[in-house]
Amino acid sequence: MPHDETALYRRLRQMPPPRICPWLWVFDFDGTLVNLEAHPNQVKVPQPLLNDLLQLTQLPGHTVAIISGRTIDDLRTYLGSIPLLWMAGDHGAEVLGPDWHWIHGNAAALTRQFTQLAQELSRQLSELPGVYVEAKRYSLGIHYRLADDETTRILKRMLATMPMPSGMAFKHSHLCVEIRPVPGPTKADAMAIIRNQVQSPDIGSLALVFGDDQTDEDMFQAAYREDVTVWIGTDARTTAAEFQMDSPHRVAALIRWALAGT
């Protein structure tokens, strides 16, 4: 079981300060920085959180990255007011930083196929109440957060017999089934790319990694021994994260704590 917030704050106080070893803050978005909503379009980012993230990116020795299943364009609608922010979308298929841009080759090659598959699945699943298909550029998501138990069972039976196009595979996340490129990127790949871009070879960096979903476990597992990994949630589950916080509200409080100590 991960350690609680008290242990987390104790660990942070023991870490080398950013002026000696830079800190790389890595956040998932939905369920980590903002509350999960019934539909992704219903998410709202509190203005105080935007202000704090902006301030954090401007501090010497601090880099902030958002690594999400959302597209880069979607993330920019919420976070575009923070110019120094690093963002990775589609679970690492695309990475965008200040004056830097990268797209995973396999994902880019399947853009047209993902668009066609999203249209086809939207037609096939239109009769299932509470199920909707989220079309992305380099992946797609089949959400069933609003579906009842019987509809969820029907959906999973349909997907189990659905032929998967070449170069794509299912990946299960929280109340959602993702279809992604294979071999393809992970959030851990995106974290490594960003880390290599921002850290000095002579000094390195310490990563503080926050996530709430099964798709974030890749980042927890890839973290260095000196890094800090934090799972966001209240239910009992197995996680590779070392620490646990209850909610995005508590994550926001930790960011304010870090700013107050600078």
Side-chain angles (χ1 to χ4, degrees):
M1 291 292 293
H3 302 296
D4 63 12
E5 274 194 41
T6 301
L8 170 60
Y9 278 92
R10 185 184 309 119
R11 171 70 177 281
L12 294 176
R13 293 187 185 97
Q14 295 170 348
M15 289 174 58
R19 68 178 183 276
I20 296 176
C21 184
W23 290 13
L24 171 61
W25 298 78
V26 179
F27 300 100
D28 179 33
F29 187 63
D30 297 270
T32 298
L33 279 180
V34 296
N35 292 326
L36 289 171
E37 300 293 348
H39 193 285
N41 292 343
Q42 296 174 342
V43 162
K44 297 187 183 302
V45 184
Q47 188 60 48
L49 176 61
L50 288 174
N51 296 341
D52 289 344
L53 289 172
L54 174 62
Q55 185 177 349
L56 192 60
T57 64
Q58 295 171 337
L59 290 178
H62 292 268
T63 300
V64 182
I66 311 298
I67 301 180
S68 171
R70 291 177 181 258
T71 66
I72 289 286
D73 289 343
D74 198 8
L75 289 173
R76 292 177 76 173
T77 63
Y78 296 98
L79 304 165
S81 61
I82 308 175
L84 297 179
L85 188 69
W86 283 80
M87 291 181 282
D90 280 284
H91 300 282
E94 184 177 14
V95 180
L96 180 69
D99 301 318
W100 198 87
H101 188 208
W102 174 88
I103 300 173
H104 190 280
N106 287 353
L110 292 171
T111 302
R112 180 179 299 177
Q113 290 93 318
F114 275 120
T115 300
Q116 294 171 345
L117 182 59
Q119 294 171 348
E120 180 180 341
L121 285 174
S122 294
R123 290 192 297 269
Q124 292 179 3
L125 304 178
S126 61
E127 300 298 322
L128 296 181
V131 175
Y132 64 94
V133 176
E134 181 185 10
K136 306 179 186 181
R137 186 172 299 167
Y138 307 116
S139 66
L140 64 86
I142 304 168
H143 296 266
Y144 54 93
R145 188 181 308 278
L146 300 177
D148 59 28
D149 291 344
E150 178 59 24
T151 302
T152 299
R153 284 191 289 269
I154 294 172
L155 171 66
K156 291 183 176 180
R157 286 198 298 267
M158 292 177 65
L159 295 179
T161 60
M162 187 185 83
M164 183 58 57
S166 176
M168 300 182 187
F170 288 119
K171 177 75 173 181
H172 291 270
S173 58
H174 184 61
L175 299 179
C176 177
V177 178
E178 303 275 352
I179 300 179
R180 302 192 212 162
V182 289
T186 66
K187 288 186 175 182
D189 295 329
M191 183 172 72
I193 289 170
I194 295 171
R195 192 170 207 162
N196 288 335
Q197 289 296 315
V198 303
Q199 73 180 6
S200 165
D202 299 328
I203 301 175
S205 62
L206 291 171
L208 296 82
V209 187
F210 300 79
D212 74 300
D213 203 342
Q214 187 64 36
T215 60
D216 299 314
E217 292 295 327
D218 291 333
M219 295 194 295
F220 297 154
Q221 294 168 6
Y224 300 164
R225 185 178 62 180
E226 299 82 5
D227 293 339
V228 174
T229 53
V230 186
W231 172 64
I232 312 304
T234 56
D235 56 316
R237 56 165 274 187
T238 301
T239 177
E242 185 179 1
F243 301 97
Q244 178 179 355
M245 304 185 85
D246 288 347
S247 67
H249 175 73
R250 300 306 305 155
V251 176
L254 187 147
I255 295 172
R256 290 194 300 271
W257 172 85
L259 291 172
T262 59

